[in-house]
Amino acid sequence: MERWKGRVALVTGASVGIGAAVARALVQHGMKVVGCARSVDKIEKLAAECQSAGYPGVLIPYKCDLSNEEEILSMFSAIKTLHQGVDVCINNAGLARPEPLLSGKTEGWRMMIDVNVMAVSICTREVYRSMKERNIDDGHIININSMNGHSVVPQSVVHFYSATKYAVTALTEGLRQELREAKTHIRATCISPGLVETGFAFKLHDNDPERAAATYESIRCLKAEDMANAVIYVLSAPPHVQIGDIQMRPTEQIS
């Protein structure tokens, strides 16, 4: 990770869960991390914690609604002005709404497409532009995917979510191919976890907190820190090694 010291990383959805753990880990390794979310209160608190802990990097909170392209473009413009550009992008922000294919609300489907697919694509395009403008040839784009992007489980409430994550699988491989065609050494990776103990299930089952809690009580789940370790592993690989996808589940998880 030595070569990433002082470089700029963007982490989307950095206020809680996986995003917060990844942001902390990158700051611990000396990176300048722009952490964005719709609400920055928790990122500001995390930034203060990182500073008091004496971590060599710095966390910069940025308020951005990733379902709004204008806000994303404005964020990249601000990063360019203040920090030159982005060298590492962690497309972490994602959400699931309990909207089955036969009875789901269009609004919920659209929300998942906007954040899980469109925001990932827009951020990726803008990060690539940022790298090209500065002749950065060793950048890295990491998409936080899901095991739901590799198999469809028999749970109707996650079927549309699963479709958006299958899109992330395709987008990551498509990105890798386009980066090769462009003759760059910029790398693309996705990390696909199974059950991670975060607030994710509580947002999915927001009308049924008992069901959400049961999701995490049935087995020993992955922790957000396990995901952060996977990100560090990917970034630490030598420049000639590209890790395409890490699929990781809790040992006790069946599907």
Side-chain angles (χ1 to χ4, degrees):
M1 287 295 290
E2 198 64 30
R3 68 194 175 91
W4 294 115
K5 272 192 175 170
R7 306 280 295 273
V8 178
L10 170 65
V11 179
T12 67
S15 58
V16 292
I18 294 168
V22 169
R24 180 193 293 272
L26 296 179
V27 172
Q28 280 178 305
H29 283 89
M31 293 195 77
K32 192 182 288 184
V33 180
V34 177
C36 79
R38 280 178 300 180
S39 169
V40 292
D41 299 355
K42 289 176 180 169
I43 306 177
E44 285 169 350
K45 188 181 172 203
L46 179 59
E49 285 172 17
C50 290
Q51 191 176 6
S52 8
Y55 295 157
V58 61
L59 176 57
I60 303 130
Y62 196 95
K63 184 177 169 61
C64 180
D65 178 358
L66 291 162
S67 64
N68 183 325
E69 182 175 8
E70 284 182 14
E71 289 198 23
I72 298 175
L73 298 180
S74 171
M75 172 175 69
F76 274 93
S77 176
I79 293 172
K80 180 178 180 178
T81 303
L82 299 169
H83 313 291
Q84 282 75 58
V86 177
D87 305 311
V88 171
C89 178
I90 316 290
N91 284 312
N92 163 73
L95 58 88
R97 299 302 304 145
E99 308 292 356
L101 301 179
L102 298 182
S103 58
K105 296 185 186 71
T106 307
E107 179 191 359
W109 293 342
R110 190 168 284 122
M111 196 185 300
M112 285 185 269
I113 289 281
D114 283 347
V115 176
N116 300 0
V117 181
M118 292 303 295
V120 168
S121 302
I122 296 165
C123 286
T124 298
R125 181 190 67 204
E126 296 306 310
V127 162
Y128 178 67
R129 284 179 180 169
S130 170
M131 291 175 186
K132 285 297 284 179
E133 281 172 3
R134 297 171 297 126
N135 295 314
I136 296 297
D137 195 45
D138 65 343
H140 209 135
I141 297 164
I142 299 175
N143 294 330
I144 303 301
N145 196 353
S146 167
M147 287 306 298
N148 287 109
H150 298 279
S151 63
V152 180
V153 296
Q155 293 175 29
S156 62
V157 290
V158 294
H159 285 160
F160 195 94
Y161 169 75
S162 188
T164 67
K165 289 302 185 177
Y166 264 84
V168 173
T169 302
L171 289 169
T172 309
E173 174 56 16
L175 172 62
R176 186 193 69 79
Q177 292 181 18
E178 290 190 26
L179 289 170
R180 294 298 74 76
E181 285 166 14
K183 296 190 166 31
T184 81
H185 292 86
I186 298 165
R187 295 182 288 180
T189 302
C190 70
I191 302 177
S192 306
L195 274 177
V196 186
E197 192 173 345
T198 61
F200 187 86
F202 288 93
K203 288 177 183 171
L204 172 62
H205 305 297
D206 51 5
N207 295 323
D208 192 350
E210 284 183 15
R211 183 178 179 184
T215 304
Y216 300 130
E217 286 165 4
S218 55
I219 60 170
R220 185 176 178 187
C221 298
L222 299 175
K223 304 286 186 191
E225 289 71 26
D226 297 319
M227 290 295 292
N229 289 338
V231 168
I232 298 304
Y233 171 73
V234 166
L235 287 173
S236 301
H240 70 286
V241 175
Q242 170 159 273
I243 297 162
D245 191 3
I246 293 181
Q247 296 183 21
M248 51 196 288
R249 291 183 178 93
T251 305
E252 298 172 356
Q253 186 173 341
I254 294 168
S255 61

